[in-house]
Amino acid sequence: MPSTAMSVPRDEPGGPDCVIALDVGGTGMKGALLDRDLNALYTVRRATPRRAGPEAVVAEIAAVLRGLDESAAVRTLTVRGAGVVVPGIVDEETRTAVHSVNLGWRDLPLAAVLEEATGLPVTLGHDVRAGGAAECRLGAARGARDAWFVPVGTGVSAAVFSDGRPVRAGGFAGELGHVVVDPGGEPCACGGRGCLETVASAAAIGAAYGARVGREADGAAEVAAMLVRGDPDARAVWDRAVEALAAALATAATLLAPEVVVVGGGLAESGGLLLDPLRAALDRRLTFQRRPEVVRAALGDRAGCLGAGLAAWSDAGSRPVGTARTTPGRPAAR
């Protein structure tokens, strides 16, 4: 299992301990106050003001953190820190949001900016790696030391855990969606061509089906529904996506030999409709390699927030007692 052992901090005078956890997505934010067992004591959801620009997004993240801090004070909880996870390229060691196409920032020292704005100790992480850590500690990959967490939704990404440790590589590891599966294929938003995302993401599946039937499709969910009804166009699009995903996972199995591949995101909601043919297609491609178990994610859209909480508690365990926020508006001693 990935290294998520925590030195659990003891409660301070003024109320039981908690951490703030915030999962920032391209369209929405999910926040919570989590106790030491990662039980949610309070939750909140907010829209991400992406269209208003990166400064507006940062301001809203800070506002949500302050709101959660105030909610903790009302409940006489002592906040030991905040975990914030975001999409894109994230370097956890330098606490930097390196690049996000969707949110518009580049080389942003986000943790420091949020600490300045809120007075909270902030642990910055990557949304998919955080979700993977949660699945490894609490969910479908519990007990595995070598695991991949692969959310398949609007895009395709991966969190890689090897020998019990997350593989970060300065934030660049895990970009499974940009493994080229069709060199002559469609252009990708990354600047490449024929990336896995152009074939196997929910958006690509919906677009490919729409192109075949001559009308705009209602995303991958419609394709899955039509597949169940025996629609041959849906079958062709779905099979192509499954084969592409299996090809990318075969490369992963060859290079890093995961014991388990946890498939999450919106496409995983189709259950056996995706996972059964994916297992068969992957099995056909492997010879000597370790054959990973392919399973559905267990934590759903809670994974990122729970992973943010894990990271916040881990840092709280290494922070001297007395550095937690206990009064809204007053920075913690650091």
Side-chain angles (χ1 to χ4, degrees):
M1 182 169 59
S3 180
T4 51
M6 298 178 294
S7 174
V8 177
R10 60 185 180 273
D11 289 352
E12 295 181 9
D17 286 350
C18 73
V19 294
I20 293 171
L22 183 62
D23 179 9
V24 180
T27 58
M29 305 182 193
K30 296 178 285 288
L33 300 176
L34 301 177
D35 68 13
R36 288 172 293 180
D37 295 319
L38 298 180
N39 297 308
L41 308 175
Y42 176 76
T43 62
V44 65
R45 289 181 182 247
R46 294 285 185 270
T48 303
R50 177 167 56 96
R51 297 186 185 279
E55 291 184 1
V57 173
V58 174
E60 183 65 10
I61 294 171
V64 174
L65 292 177
R66 286 193 295 267
L68 286 165
D69 192 27
E70 291 166 4
S71 296
V74 168
R75 291 164 175 78
T76 64
L77 299 169
T78 298
V79 175
R80 294 302 309 272
V84 178
V85 298
V86 299
I89 305 297
V90 179
D91 188 338
E92 287 95 336
E93 289 188 7
T94 64
R95 308 168 76 225
T96 302
V98 177
H99 183 51
S100 172
V101 173
N102 288 334
L103 299 182
W105 52 49
R106 186 181 288 274
D107 296 325
L108 175 66
L110 185 56
V113 169
L114 294 175
E115 287 179 341
E116 181 69 23
T118 66
L120 290 162
V122 173
T123 301
L124 182 67
H126 182 252
D127 57 351
V128 175
R129 280 194 292 277
E135 287 287 352
C136 286
R137 184 177 178 87
L138 307 166
R142 186 185 305 184
R145 289 182 56 79
D146 301 296
W148 282 56
F149 172 56
V150 182
V152 184
T154 304
V156 181
S157 188
V160 181
F161 298 86
S162 183
D163 290 331
R165 298 178 181 275
V167 179
R168 298 191 178 101
F172 287 86
E175 292 293 338
L176 187 70
H178 299 288
V179 171
V180 175
V181 295
D182 182 6
E186 295 294 319
C188 181
C190 75
R193 183 177 288 274
C195 296
L196 179 63
E197 277 193 9
T198 68
V199 179
S201 67
I205 289 171
Y209 181 74
R212 288 182 71 98
V213 300
R215 62 172 176 80
E216 186 174 347
D218 187 19
E222 180 184 347
V223 182
M226 296 304 294
L227 179 64
V228 172
R229 296 178 190 175
D231 183 297
D233 290 307
R235 168 59 63 189
V237 169
W238 197 264
D239 285 352
R240 181 169 180 256
V242 167
E243 292 295 329
L245 188 55
L249 290 179
T251 298
T254 303
L255 293 176
L256 289 172
E259 303 164 72
V260 60
V261 173
V262 178
V263 182
L267 216 61
E269 297 303 311
S270 62
L273 201 63
L274 172 68
L275 297 184
D276 290 344
L278 178 59
R279 292 180 185 114
L282 178 59
D283 191 63
R284 288 195 303 271
R285 284 170 167 77
L286 301 181
T287 55
F288 68 91
Q289 299 93 334
R290 173 191 271 177
R291 294 173 183 265
E293 184 180 6
V294 179
V295 299
R296 181 177 171 179
L299 302 177
D301 69 355
R302 298 180 298 134
C305 196
L306 289 170
L310 278 171
W313 274 121
S314 181
D315 274 6
S318 62
R319 191 180 298 122
V321 174
T323 63
R325 273 288 309 275
T326 56
T327 305
R330 185 186 308 157
R334 293 194 276 283

PDB file of all heavy atoms in Angstrom, residues 99 101 106 175 177-180 182-198:
ATOM      1  N   HIS A  99       1.296  23.852 -14.087  1.00  0.00           N
ATOM      2  CA  HIS A  99       0.549  24.216 -15.287  1.00  0.00           C
ATOM      3  C   HIS A  99      -0.827  23.576 -15.256  1.00  0.00           C
ATOM      4  O   HIS A  99      -0.972  22.413 -14.893  1.00  0.00           O
ATOM      5  CB  HIS A  99       1.293  23.762 -16.543  1.00  0.00           C
ATOM      6  CG  HIS A  99       0.632  24.161 -17.823  1.00  0.00           C
ATOM      7  ND1 HIS A  99       0.230  25.446 -18.096  1.00  0.00           N
ATOM      8  CD2 HIS A  99       0.285  23.444 -18.925  1.00  0.00           C
ATOM      9  CE1 HIS A  99      -0.312  25.505 -19.295  1.00  0.00           C
ATOM     10  NE2 HIS A  99      -0.297  24.300 -19.817  1.00  0.00           N
ATOM     11  N   VAL A 101      -4.101  23.719 -18.012  1.00  0.00           N
ATOM     12  CA  VAL A 101      -4.768  24.277 -19.191  1.00  0.00           C
ATOM     13  C   VAL A 101      -6.165  24.754 -18.814  1.00  0.00           C
ATOM     14  O   VAL A 101      -6.591  25.855 -19.201  1.00  0.00           O
ATOM     15  CB  VAL A 101      -4.833  23.223 -20.314  1.00  0.00           C
ATOM     16  CG1 VAL A 101      -5.671  23.731 -21.481  1.00  0.00           C
ATOM     17  CG2 VAL A 101      -3.429  22.859 -20.786  1.00  0.00           C
ATOM     18  N   ARG A 106       0.211  28.971 -14.466  1.00  0.00           N
ATOM     19  CA  ARG A 106       1.512  28.385 -14.788  1.00  0.00           C
ATOM     20  C   ARG A 106       2.527  28.832 -13.740  1.00  0.00           C
ATOM     21  O   ARG A 106       2.604  30.018 -13.416  1.00  0.00           O
ATOM     22  CB  ARG A 106       1.967  28.817 -16.182  1.00  0.00           C
ATOM     23  CG  ARG A 106       3.257  28.129 -16.631  1.00  0.00           C
ATOM     24  CD  ARG A 106       3.686  28.606 -18.001  1.00  0.00           C
ATOM     25  NE  ARG A 106       2.826  28.107 -19.053  1.00  0.00           N
ATOM     26  CZ  ARG A 106       2.979  26.923 -19.663  1.00  0.00           C
ATOM     27  NH1 ARG A 106       3.954  26.112 -19.262  1.00  0.00           N
ATOM     28  NH2 ARG A 106       2.178  26.555 -20.629  1.00  0.00           N
ATOM     29  N   GLU A 175       0.678  10.723 -16.933  1.00  0.00           N
ATOM     30  CA  GLU A 175      -0.144  11.289 -18.012  1.00  0.00           C
ATOM     31  C   GLU A 175      -0.518  10.204 -19.030  1.00  0.00           C
ATOM     32  O   GLU A 175      -0.179  10.264 -20.213  1.00  0.00           O
ATOM     33  CB  GLU A 175       0.594  12.445 -18.686  1.00  0.00           C
ATOM     34  CG  GLU A 175       0.753  13.668 -17.801  1.00  0.00           C
ATOM     35  CD  GLU A 175      -0.586  14.339 -17.481  1.00  0.00           C
ATOM     36  OE1 GLU A 175      -1.557  14.133 -18.235  1.00  0.00           O
ATOM     37  OE2 GLU A 175      -0.652  15.062 -16.472  1.00  0.00           O
ATOM     38  N   GLY A 177      -3.270   9.597 -20.420  1.00  0.00           N
ATOM     39  CA  GLY A 177      -4.121  10.072 -21.496  1.00  0.00           C
ATOM     40  C   GLY A 177      -3.357  10.578 -22.698  1.00  0.00           C
ATOM     41  O   GLY A 177      -3.953  10.764 -23.776  1.00  0.00           O
ATOM     42  N   HIS A 178      -2.053  10.793 -22.538  1.00  0.00           N
ATOM     43  CA  HIS A 178      -1.257  11.314 -23.652  1.00  0.00           C
ATOM     44  C   HIS A 178      -0.240  10.289 -24.173  1.00  0.00           C
ATOM     45  O   HIS A 178       0.696  10.643 -24.872  1.00  0.00           O
ATOM     46  CB  HIS A 178      -0.609  12.637 -23.247  1.00  0.00           C
ATOM     47  CG  HIS A 178      -1.659  13.647 -22.909  1.00  0.00           C
ATOM     48  ND1 HIS A 178      -2.448  14.229 -23.868  1.00  0.00           N
ATOM     49  CD2 HIS A 178      -2.093  14.104 -21.709  1.00  0.00           C
ATOM     50  CE1 HIS A 178      -3.321  15.041 -23.269  1.00  0.00           C
ATOM     51  NE2 HIS A 178      -3.124  14.963 -21.975  1.00  0.00           N
ATOM     52  N   VAL A 179      -0.486   9.031 -23.834  1.00  0.00           N
ATOM     53  CA  VAL A 179       0.193   7.942 -24.526  1.00  0.00           C
ATOM     54  C   VAL A 179      -0.428   7.836 -25.917  1.00  0.00           C
ATOM     55  O   VAL A 179      -1.653   7.794 -26.062  1.00  0.00           O
ATOM     56  CB  VAL A 179       0.026   6.610 -23.766  1.00  0.00           C
ATOM     57  CG1 VAL A 179       0.531   5.438 -24.597  1.00  0.00           C
ATOM     58  CG2 VAL A 179       0.745   6.668 -22.430  1.00  0.00           C
ATOM     59  N   VAL A 180       0.391   7.823 -26.950  1.00  0.00           N
ATOM     60  CA  VAL A 180      -0.127   7.783 -28.320  1.00  0.00           C
ATOM     61  C   VAL A 180      -0.571   6.357 -28.658  1.00  0.00           C
ATOM     62  O   VAL A 180       0.218   5.413 -28.606  1.00  0.00           O
ATOM     63  CB  VAL A 180       0.934   8.264 -29.332  1.00  0.00           C
ATOM     64  CG1 VAL A 180       0.431   8.098 -30.762  1.00  0.00           C
ATOM     65  CG2 VAL A 180       1.287   9.723 -29.058  1.00  0.00           C
ATOM     66  N   ASP A 182      -2.781   5.992 -31.501  1.00  0.00           N
ATOM     67  CA  ASP A 182      -3.122   6.056 -32.922  1.00  0.00           C
ATOM     68  C   ASP A 182      -2.305   7.175 -33.558  1.00  0.00           C
ATOM     69  O   ASP A 182      -2.760   8.317 -33.634  1.00  0.00           O
ATOM     70  CB  ASP A 182      -4.621   6.318 -33.092  1.00  0.00           C
ATOM     71  CG  ASP A 182      -5.048   6.338 -34.561  1.00  0.00           C
ATOM     72  OD1 ASP A 182      -4.209   6.036 -35.430  1.00  0.00           O
ATOM     73  OD2 ASP A 182      -6.226   6.658 -34.827  1.00  0.00           O
ATOM     74  N   PRO A 183      -1.080   6.869 -34.018  1.00  0.00           N
ATOM     75  CA  PRO A 183      -0.194   7.925 -34.518  1.00  0.00           C
ATOM     76  C   PRO A 183      -0.794   8.789 -35.616  1.00  0.00           C
ATOM     77  O   PRO A 183      -0.438   9.960 -35.743  1.00  0.00           O
ATOM     78  CB  PRO A 183       1.019   7.135 -35.041  1.00  0.00           C
ATOM     79  CG  PRO A 183       1.010   5.878 -34.255  1.00  0.00           C
ATOM     80  CD  PRO A 183      -0.438   5.540 -34.041  1.00  0.00           C
ATOM     81  N   GLY A 184      -1.720   8.261 -36.385  1.00  0.00           N
ATOM     82  CA  GLY A 184      -2.355   9.061 -37.431  1.00  0.00           C
ATOM     83  C   GLY A 184      -3.712   9.577 -37.030  1.00  0.00           C
ATOM     84  O   GLY A 184      -4.511   9.979 -37.898  1.00  0.00           O
ATOM     85  N   GLY A 185      -3.974   9.593 -35.746  1.00  0.00           N
ATOM     86  CA  GLY A 185      -5.315   9.921 -35.258  1.00  0.00           C
ATOM     87  C   GLY A 185      -5.591  11.400 -35.134  1.00  0.00           C
ATOM     88  O   GLY A 185      -4.897  12.251 -35.687  1.00  0.00           O
ATOM     89  N   GLU A 186      -6.621  11.696 -34.339  1.00  0.00           N
ATOM     90  CA  GLU A 186      -7.093  13.060 -34.179  1.00  0.00           C
ATOM     91  C   GLU A 186      -6.099  13.912 -33.388  1.00  0.00           C
ATOM     92  O   GLU A 186      -5.380  13.401 -32.525  1.00  0.00           O
ATOM     93  CB  GLU A 186      -8.435  13.064 -33.439  1.00  0.00           C
ATOM     94  CG  GLU A 186      -9.569  12.392 -34.196  1.00  0.00           C
ATOM     95  CD  GLU A 186      -9.921  13.161 -35.452  1.00  0.00           C
ATOM     96  OE1 GLU A 186      -9.945  14.413 -35.410  1.00  0.00           O
ATOM     97  OE2 GLU A 186     -10.168  12.502 -36.488  1.00  0.00           O
ATOM     98  N   PRO A 187      -6.060  15.226 -33.685  1.00  0.00           N
ATOM     99  CA  PRO A 187      -5.233  16.125 -32.873  1.00  0.00           C
ATOM    100  C   PRO A 187      -5.720  16.147 -31.423  1.00  0.00           C
ATOM    101  O   PRO A 187      -6.917  16.056 -31.162  1.00  0.00           O
ATOM    102  CB  PRO A 187      -5.431  17.491 -33.541  1.00  0.00           C
ATOM    103  CG  PRO A 187      -5.955  17.200 -34.902  1.00  0.00           C
ATOM    104  CD  PRO A 187      -6.740  15.927 -34.784  1.00  0.00           C
ATOM    105  N   CYS A 188      -4.782  16.277 -30.509  1.00  0.00           N
ATOM    106  CA  CYS A 188      -5.099  16.343 -29.081  1.00  0.00           C
ATOM    107  C   CYS A 188      -4.865  17.762 -28.583  1.00  0.00           C
ATOM    108  O   CYS A 188      -4.027  18.500 -29.125  1.00  0.00           O
ATOM    109  CB  CYS A 188      -4.211  15.363 -28.316  1.00  0.00           C
ATOM    110  SG  CYS A 188      -4.503  15.323 -26.533  1.00  0.00           S
ATOM    111  N   ALA A 189      -5.572  18.140 -27.549  1.00  0.00           N
ATOM    112  CA  ALA A 189      -5.405  19.481 -26.973  1.00  0.00           C
ATOM    113  C   ALA A 189      -3.993  19.725 -26.464  1.00  0.00           C
ATOM    114  O   ALA A 189      -3.568  20.875 -26.333  1.00  0.00           O
ATOM    115  CB  ALA A 189      -6.411  19.681 -25.838  1.00  0.00           C
ATOM    116  N   CYS A 190      -3.244  18.649 -26.203  1.00  0.00           N
ATOM    117  CA  CYS A 190      -1.875  18.799 -25.710  1.00  0.00           C
ATOM    118  C   CYS A 190      -0.908  19.222 -26.810  1.00  0.00           C
ATOM    119  O   CYS A 190       0.226  19.584 -26.528  1.00  0.00           O
ATOM    120  CB  CYS A 190      -1.396  17.507 -25.072  1.00  0.00           C
ATOM    121  SG  CYS A 190      -0.964  16.209 -26.260  1.00  0.00           S
ATOM    122  N   GLY A 191      -1.354  19.168 -28.074  1.00  0.00           N
ATOM    123  CA  GLY A 191      -0.472  19.466 -29.196  1.00  0.00           C
ATOM    124  C   GLY A 191      -0.023  18.236 -29.946  1.00  0.00           C
ATOM    125  O   GLY A 191       0.553  18.343 -31.031  1.00  0.00           O
ATOM    126  N   GLY A 192      -0.282  17.067 -29.367  1.00  0.00           N
ATOM    127  CA  GLY A 192       0.061  15.823 -30.034  1.00  0.00           C
ATOM    128  C   GLY A 192      -1.063  15.336 -30.926  1.00  0.00           C
ATOM    129  O   GLY A 192      -2.057  16.039 -31.179  1.00  0.00           O
ATOM    130  N   ARG A 193      -0.945  14.101 -31.382  1.00  0.00           N
ATOM    131  CA  ARG A 193      -1.952  13.509 -32.267  1.00  0.00           C
ATOM    132  C   ARG A 193      -2.129  12.040 -31.890  1.00  0.00           C
ATOM    133  O   ARG A 193      -1.156  11.331 -31.663  1.00  0.00           O
ATOM    134  CB  ARG A 193      -1.508  13.640 -33.719  1.00  0.00           C
ATOM    135  CG  ARG A 193      -2.514  13.111 -34.740  1.00  0.00           C
ATOM    136  CD  ARG A 193      -2.055  13.342 -36.166  1.00  0.00           C
ATOM    137  NE  ARG A 193      -2.140  14.743 -36.537  1.00  0.00           N
ATOM    138  CZ  ARG A 193      -3.234  15.338 -37.017  1.00  0.00           C
ATOM    139  NH1 ARG A 193      -4.344  14.639 -37.170  1.00  0.00           N
ATOM    140  NH2 ARG A 193      -3.212  16.616 -37.338  1.00  0.00           N
ATOM    141  N   GLY A 194      -3.377  11.623 -31.822  1.00  0.00           N
ATOM    142  CA  GLY A 194      -3.663  10.224 -31.547  1.00  0.00           C
ATOM    143  C   GLY A 194      -3.446   9.797 -30.114  1.00  0.00           C
ATOM    144  O   GLY A 194      -3.266   8.611 -29.836  1.00  0.00           O
ATOM    145  N   CYS A 195      -3.491  10.752 -29.186  1.00  0.00           N
ATOM    146  CA  CYS A 195      -3.356  10.408 -27.764  1.00  0.00           C
ATOM    147  C   CYS A 195      -4.561   9.586 -27.305  1.00  0.00           C
ATOM    148  O   CYS A 195      -5.647   9.647 -27.894  1.00  0.00           O
ATOM    149  CB  CYS A 195      -3.261  11.669 -26.915  1.00  0.00           C
ATOM    150  SG  CYS A 195      -1.810  12.685 -27.218  1.00  0.00           S
ATOM    151  N   LEU A 196      -4.375   8.830 -26.244  1.00  0.00           N
ATOM    152  CA  LEU A 196      -5.458   8.016 -25.689  1.00  0.00           C
ATOM    153  C   LEU A 196      -6.713   8.850 -25.440  1.00  0.00           C
ATOM    154  O   LEU A 196      -7.833   8.387 -25.682  1.00  0.00           O
ATOM    155  CB  LEU A 196      -4.986   7.346 -24.392  1.00  0.00           C
ATOM    156  CG  LEU A 196      -6.012   6.464 -23.675  1.00  0.00           C
ATOM    157  CD1 LEU A 196      -6.414   5.281 -24.538  1.00  0.00           C
ATOM    158  CD2 LEU A 196      -5.449   5.985 -22.340  1.00  0.00           C
ATOM    159  N   GLU A 197      -6.547  10.076 -24.967  1.00  0.00           N
ATOM    160  CA  GLU A 197      -7.704  10.936 -24.696  1.00  0.00           C
ATOM    161  C   GLU A 197      -8.548  11.195 -25.934  1.00  0.00           C
ATOM    162  O   GLU A 197      -9.748  11.452 -25.828  1.00  0.00           O
ATOM    163  CB  GLU A 197      -7.253  12.277 -24.103  1.00  0.00           C
ATOM    164  CG  GLU A 197      -7.010  12.238 -22.627  1.00  0.00           C
ATOM    165  CD  GLU A 197      -6.871  13.622 -22.015  1.00  0.00           C
ATOM    166  OE1 GLU A 197      -7.126  14.627 -22.717  1.00  0.00           O
ATOM    167  OE2 GLU A 197      -6.510  13.685 -20.827  1.00  0.00           O
ATOM    168  N   THR A 198      -7.943  11.172 -27.116  1.00  0.00           N
ATOM    169  CA  THR A 198      -8.697  11.446 -28.336  1.00  0.00           C
ATOM    170  C   THR A 198      -9.537  10.255 -28.767  1.00  0.00           C
ATOM    171  O   THR A 198     -10.344  10.366 -29.696  1.00  0.00           O
ATOM    172  CB  THR A 198      -7.756  11.825 -29.504  1.00  0.00           C
ATOM    173  OG1 THR A 198      -6.974  10.681 -29.886  1.00  0.00           O
ATOM    174  CG2 THR A 198      -6.832  12.974 -29.113  1.00  0.00           C
TER     175      THR A 198
END
